[in-house]
Amino acid sequence: MDQKGCRRGSFQSATSDEDMLEIAGASMDFSMADDDPPLDREMGGFSSYNGGGMNGSSAMMDFLEEPLPGVGTYEDFNTIDWVREKSRDRDRHREITNRSKESTWALLHSVSDAFSGWLLMLLIGLLAGSLAGLIDISAHWMTDLKEGVCLAGFWFNHEHCCWKSNTTFTDRDKCPEWKSWSQLILGHGEGAFAYILNYFMYVIWALMFSLLAVLLVKSFAPYACGSGIPEIKTILSGFIIRGYLGKWTLVIKTITLVLAVSSGLSLGKEGPLVHVACCCGNILCHLFTKYRKNEAKRREVLSAAAAAGVSVAFGAPIGGVLFSLEEVSYYFPLKTLWRSFFAALVAAFTLRSINPFGNSRLVLFYVEFHMPWHLLELVPFILLGILGGLWGAFFIRSNIAWCRRRKTTRLGKYPVLEVIVVTAITAILAFPNEYTRMSTSELISELFNDCGILDSSKLCEYVNDFNSTKGDDLPDRAAGPGVYTAIWQLALALVMKVVITIFTFGMKVPSGLFIPSMAVGAIVGRLLGVLVEQLAFYNHDWAIFSGWCSQGADCITPGLYAMVGAAACLGGVTRMTVSLVVIMFELTGGLEYIVPLMAAAMTSKWVADAMGREGIYDAHIRLNGYPFLEAKEEFSHKTRAMDVMRPRKNDPPLTVITQDTMTVEDVETIITSTTYSGYPVVVSRPSQRLVGFVLRRDLIISIENARKKQDGIVSTSVICFTDYCPPLPPSSPSVLKLRSILDLSPFTVTDETPMEIVVDIFRKLGLRQCLVTHNGKLLGIITKKDVLKHIAQMANQDPDSILFN
């Protein structure tokens, strides 16, 4: 998602995210588009620091025993320290376990602490499933509202309105209770004027829905735009974006997702549903102390919430768990796998109980195919995989180029106008073609459908020979005029979907990519399936058909080709493999079609990877400059830690704090004159022997609290990071002991350590920074941003392109 334009104002953090050394010419640019509102960052801490403070409290405070509120927390647009967070959780768990042996109450507290994770998963599943059901029902109704209204009750969509009608099966969509806008206004639905009126109302409703969506996003929750999956991947890797998973984002994304889908734009609700589920998880985390106060534990919950989101988006709970594992999660221990499974189960059960589609299924396009596939059909299936890979690579390059243009030109300053123009073009082009006029989910359902005797779709208008019909299975037949008409309409729909989706994904409304990609693939697959079917019908004596597709047999299923094509195109765009196959299998309920899906998904990934290694979400992460270390790529360059660390030659020396010789004023001067997020603590400047590492935020909070609550702390007070401070003259002010906020075990490497090992350490331990030593003496520091810049430089990319914008 293109994040520029989603927020306005300057989000200059008091500390740069990772940098602890000033780099000439490199700065964090958080400037946003001019017409968007400022976002409440919900910062509960110190976003800036002004030296000095207040003296005057007579109460003494032991900074070694009692932790201060705010110490150990993080500022916005910073990366968490995974090692410290996991260590804190182990200490907390060890303390609860030890206390549980002392009393019954402590034992109950220990049991409730262990059970709280499962209770949280239950609540997430219930809330995510309920919201998904509400979104499905509302979107279905508002989509039909563009074409007409139900007289029996305006809240019924077209299908529900005609359920109790006495019309015949073939006229089930023309029940008297449902009136088109021309029938309602003119009294009849035939003729050119009635068509123009319906056309006009369709476009007006689409514009109203999209305008309301973009205005709500712009005014109340700028983070609610786009898919959300690139940002969630970044957050799960340890980056902090305050408000991105907040309550306002949840409310506005839920409402505007319905509006955006109903407007007929070429987008889906599946990706944003992952964002909605993660918002539910983040909000519910505040009910439990161990998740509210620990950022690493919270990210385990968000991984499970992402699984619940895919579970309700596709009705695929197992696919949701695999999607979270394969695509979005950075840290996924076995315990998170079990809890993700439980959350996805509860979410799917809740959605099934709501039954939003009225067909006792979890998804709108559930189908079952009755005929097995033949080995020779792997050839067209692999061809679909190749086409899907080509489409994926083409779409990623085109969409990223357009989003970059949006970020770097005046186009990004007018998000409302952009949404209105794209909606108008989409609606005007979509209405004349029945396959683009219907919702994308209904289109996919139509394309997946296996034609039966009672099907009235144009795609099923074959020349029937009922003498050869056996039971419910129809033999391969010659295509009738309806099929040829449908082919031309689908070809036009394909061109429109391919082009318009490029410009739609990344606009300032909630927009998912799963459904549009599946629609493109399903159209291609259905067209290829009809082609193979007719080829087999007219040439059944060919050697490739003679052994398995005799005359009068039902051997080719075009709907299966549509399903394989949908999987291929979605895989080409997202580069998913295992989770994609399982999701598609759960959609159709057919175990025997796993091999065609696997062949298409793998081929699609190979072809797309040959043209570009990044999937669409990774490409948007790089476009927005998020500090995300991709775990799937190997670092193969022969560089050393000393080549990447700061300071370099001719740079100013590394800013350090001594363990027991600097005053409060000296430290405050360092804090106010630099923007580093932390400082190494050394024995003395000449020796440069490392003692530990202290975070800037912890220093600020501790000094301000000491000035307010501890007697005798003034600017000339010495700060001591050791247990035993050196003796001072009797007239000296009180010593400020800050050993409790000092990290005594910062991660260090030697200057000769290969960078491939350093990169692996950053990936697997989730480090913020790593100190570089030589013979025990501190030489420099490597931050996560330095690693990202080095990787970009080795790939012949602009190193400053990784700066978060």
Side-chain angles (χ1 to χ4, degrees), residues 35 211 214 218 411 413-424 507:
D35 63 342
L211 177 63
V214 70
K218 179 175 177 289
L411 178 67
K413 297 183 178 181
Y414 305 101
V416 177
L417 180 62
E418 181 189 11
V419 170
I420 292 299
V421 169
V422 173
T423 305
M507 291 197 308

Side-chain angles (χ1 to χ4, degrees), residues 47-68:
S47 60
S48 63
Y49 178 71
N50 187 5
M54 294 177 63
N55 300 323
S57 176
S58 60
M60 292 293 292
M61 186 168 209
D62 188 348
F63 285 84
L64 292 173
E65 298 296 333
E66 187 174 337
L68 296 173

Side-chain angles (χ1 to χ4, degrees), residues 135 139 142 209-221 223-226 248-263 265 267-269 272 276 508-511:
I135 289 170
M142 293 178 70
F209 291 155
S210 62
L211 177 63
L212 184 56
V214 70
L215 288 178
L216 285 173
V217 168
K218 179 175 177 289
S219 303
F220 296 104
Y223 280 140
C225 60
W248 270 111
T249 304
L250 173 63
V251 172
I252 297 302
K253 186 126 192 175
T254 302
I255 296 171
T256 54
L257 179 55
V258 174
L259 293 168
V261 171
S262 304
S263 68
L265 287 166
L267 48 81
K269 61 180 183 297
V276 167
K508 301 305 171 276
V509 291
S511 54

Side-chain angles (χ1 to χ4, degrees), residues 458-529:
K458 283 183 183 178
L459 282 169
C460 296
E461 286 188 18
Y462 290 88
V463 178
N464 288 312
D465 179 9
F466 290 106
N467 293 326
S468 62
T469 302
K470 298 177 183 179
D472 294 332
D473 295 332
L474 292 174
D476 289 345
R477 299 155 290 166
V483 174
Y484 289 114
T485 303
I487 286 174
W488 281 109
Q489 289 180 326
L490 284 175
L492 292 173
L494 175 63
V495 174
M496 177 192 162
K497 290 282 184 187
V498 165
V499 175
I500 209 73
T501 305
I502 292 171
F503 299 97
T504 303
F505 187 68
M507 291 197 308
K508 301 305 171 276
V509 291
S511 54
L513 193 59
F514 282 34
I515 289 296
S517 298
M518 288 176 65
V520 169
I523 293 173
V524 174
R526 187 77 187 206
L527 293 177
L528 182 61

Side-chain angles (χ1 to χ4, degrees), residues 269-513:
K269 61 180 183 297
E270 282 65 26
L273 273 175
V274 176
H275 188 184
V276 167
C278 286
C279 287
C280 296
N282 183 62
I283 292 168
L284 291 171
C285 275
H286 288 81
L287 301 177
F288 302 89
T289 305
K290 76 173 179 179
Y291 295 108
R292 182 175 71 248
K293 292 186 176 181
N294 192 292
E295 293 289 348
K297 296 292 290 181
R298 187 181 303 188
R299 275 151 181 76
E300 293 179 21
V301 173
L302 296 180
S303 293
V310 175
S311 173
V312 293
F314 288 103
I318 305 298
V321 175
L322 292 174
F323 174 82
S324 179
L325 172 61
E326 179 182 2
E327 188 63 26
V328 298
S329 292
Y330 195 83
Y331 174 67
F332 203 85
L334 190 61
K335 182 169 58 177
T336 302
L337 177 69
W338 299 333
R339 290 181 175 173
S340 299
F341 182 84
F342 180 63
L345 166 69
V346 174
F349 174 78
T350 305
L351 185 63
R352 172 64 183 79
S353 302
I354 296 173
N355 194 17
F357 304 115
N359 59 1
S360 299
R361 302 291 185 187
L362 288 174
V363 289
L364 183 59
F365 39 88
Y366 185 94
V367 291
E368 289 188 67
F369 304 124
H370 304 288
M371 294 304 299
W373 59 279
H374 192 270
L375 187 63
L376 289 174
E377 287 186 283
L378 277 178
V379 175
F381 293 153
I382 290 174
L383 177 61
L384 285 173
I386 294 172
L387 294 174
L390 293 173
W391 149 253
F394 167 75
F395 174 81
I396 291 170
R397 290 190 180 185
S398 303
N399 179 253
I400 292 298
W402 177 252
C403 289
R404 184 174 288 113
R405 182 175 179 82
R406 182 189 289 128
K407 288 171 70 74
T408 56
T409 64
R410 292 177 60 85
L411 178 67
K413 297 183 178 181
Y414 305 101
V416 177
L417 180 62
E418 181 189 11
V419 170
I420 292 299
V421 169
V422 173
T423 305
I425 293 173
T426 303
I428 291 170
L429 295 177
F431 186 83
N433 188 339
E434 64 177 287
Y435 291 111
T436 50
R437 186 191 317 160
M438 66 176 65
S439 72
T440 313
S441 295
E442 290 175 344
L443 171 62
I444 295 173
S445 178
E446 182 99 351
L447 295 169
F448 281 10
N449 184 40
D450 187 15
C451 291
I453 298 175
L454 297 177
D455 278 311
S456 58
S457 166
K458 283 183 183 178
L459 282 169
C460 296
E461 286 188 18
Y462 290 88
V463 178
N464 288 312
D465 179 9
F466 290 106
N467 293 326
S468 62
T469 302
K470 298 177 183 179
D472 294 332
D473 295 332
L474 292 174
D476 289 345
R477 299 155 290 166
V483 174
Y484 289 114
T485 303
I487 286 174
W488 281 109
Q489 289 180 326
L490 284 175
L492 292 173
L494 175 63
V495 174
M496 177 192 162
K497 290 282 184 187
V498 165
V499 175
I500 209 73
T501 305
I502 292 171
F503 299 97
T504 303
F505 187 68
M507 291 197 308
K508 301 305 171 276
V509 291
S511 54
L513 193 59

Side-chain angles (χ1 to χ4, degrees), residues 61-72 88 701-702 705 709 740-741:
M61 186 168 209
D62 188 348
F63 285 84
L64 292 173
E65 298 296 333
E66 187 174 337
L68 296 173
V71 169
R88 280 180 179 174
I701 294 172
S702 299
N705 272 274
K709 300 179 180 179
S740 61
I741 65 170

